[in-house]
């Protein structure tokens, strides 16, 4: 099965994916509260996420991410979980998905080349905060069969620029892995690197 893997620096990032129960609970709740606040502002609300709703979602998030089975990974900044939330997503390319990406607003066309360690050259887009929108950085690779997208949403527009280096490092470490089932065989299986 095709899934994502990344090498997040444990001194900077806390993985939300796989953090079940009490482990990572404070970071999950703060990140979800920040995302709910941005969503509320985008639709005209006051901008602070509900504590009770954030708590409920923080309990459900690890189970939902586990159910995604490696197609979605998520991290928060270790020292301040409301500073930035990062998700990596693997999507199978369909004509509808290509059409949806082509129909995004014109500001999404302002990308620059970005080289990943494992995925090759992709695109990087940085959008400053705007009315009802948090600062955003998006890294995208088109592998032909899948889109790999790493999205970082900032909680503090003033400090979002301070984490661009670690964000680039995290995005570079994302890769696709695939499980291959091999039937019983004798001897050694050699795969030609060409």
């Amino acid at each position: 099965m095709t899934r994502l893997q990344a090498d997040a620096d444990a001194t900077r990032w806390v993985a939300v994916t796989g953090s079940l129960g009490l482990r990572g609970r404070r970071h999950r709740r703060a990140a979800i509260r920040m995302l709910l606040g941005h969503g509320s502002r985008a639709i005209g609300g006051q901008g602070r996420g509900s504590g009770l709703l954030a708590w409920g979602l923080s309990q459900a998030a690890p189970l939902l991410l586990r159910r995604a089975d490696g197609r979605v990974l998520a991290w928060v900044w270790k020292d301040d979980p409301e500073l930035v939330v990062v998700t990596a997503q693997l999507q199978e390319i369909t004509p509808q998905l290509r059409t949806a990406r082509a129909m995004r607003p014109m500001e999404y066309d302002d990308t620059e080349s970005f080289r990943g360690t494992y995925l090759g050259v992709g695109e990087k887009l940085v959008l400053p905060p705007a009315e009802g929108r948090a600062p955003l950085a998006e890294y995208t690779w088109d592998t032909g069969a899948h889109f790999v997208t790493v999205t970082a949403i900032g909680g503090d527009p003033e400090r979002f620029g301070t984490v661009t280096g670690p964000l680039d490092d995290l995005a570079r470490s994302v890769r696709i892995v695939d499980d291959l089932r091999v039937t019983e065989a004798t001897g050694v299986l050699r795969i030609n690197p060409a």
Side-chain angles (χ1 to χ4, degrees):
M1 183 194 67
T2 306
R3 63 187 188 283
L4 291 175
Q5 212 172 52
D7 303 319
D9 182 352
T11 62
R12 294 179 168 171
W13 301 103
V14 173
V16 175
T17 316
S19 65
L20 206 54
L22 299 176
R23 202 174 105 225
R25 180 182 62 185
R26 180 178 68 88
H27 287 85
R28 281 194 315 267
R29 189 171 57 235
I32 290 169
R33 189 171 46 244
M34 183 265 289
L35 292 173
L36 287 172
H38 284 306
S40 172
R41 277 193 296 275
I43 59 172
Q46 295 300 316
R48 188 75 179 146
S50 160
L52 183 61
L53 182 57
W55 177 85
L57 288 173
S58 75
Q59 301 304 307
L63 296 172
L64 294 172
L65 289 171
R66 181 175 283 179
R67 191 165 185 197
D69 208 12
R71 293 182 308 273
V72 177
L73 304 175
W75 303 269
V76 295
W77 192 249
K78 186 172 189 172
D79 295 334
D80 182 1
E82 293 192 29
L83 176 59
V84 64
V85 176
V86 182
T87 59
Q89 185 176 14
L90 178 71
Q91 294 175 293
E92 189 174 337
I93 294 177
T94 63
Q96 294 82 6
L97 184 56
R98 281 207 188 273
T99 302
R101 289 185 65 82
M103 294 176 65
R104 297 196 302 180
M106 189 175 279
E107 60 193 4
Y108 283 84
D109 293 337
D110 194 18
T111 62
E112 58 187 64
S113 290
F114 181 81
R115 178 169 288 284
T117 305
Y118 304 100
L119 295 171
V121 177
E123 296 178 336
K124 177 181 176 180
L125 170 72
V126 178
L127 293 176
E131 185 70 32
R133 186 189 68 215
L136 173 108
E138 183 181 85
Y139 307 80
T140 306
W141 289 269
D142 181 344
T143 68
H146 297 91
F147 280 126
V148 177
T149 308
V150 177
T151 306
I153 299 174
D156 184 350
E158 307 294 323
R159 295 186 301 143
F160 185 69
T162 64
V163 296
T164 54
L167 278 174
D168 287 352
D169 293 341
L170 178 60
R172 279 188 187 96
S173 76
V174 173
R175 61 192 171 275
I176 296 175
V177 294
D178 214 341
D179 294 334
L180 299 175
R181 298 202 182 273
V182 180
T183 58
E184 257 185 69
T186 58
V188 177
L189 173 64
R190 298 197 191 279
I191 300 175
N192 186 350

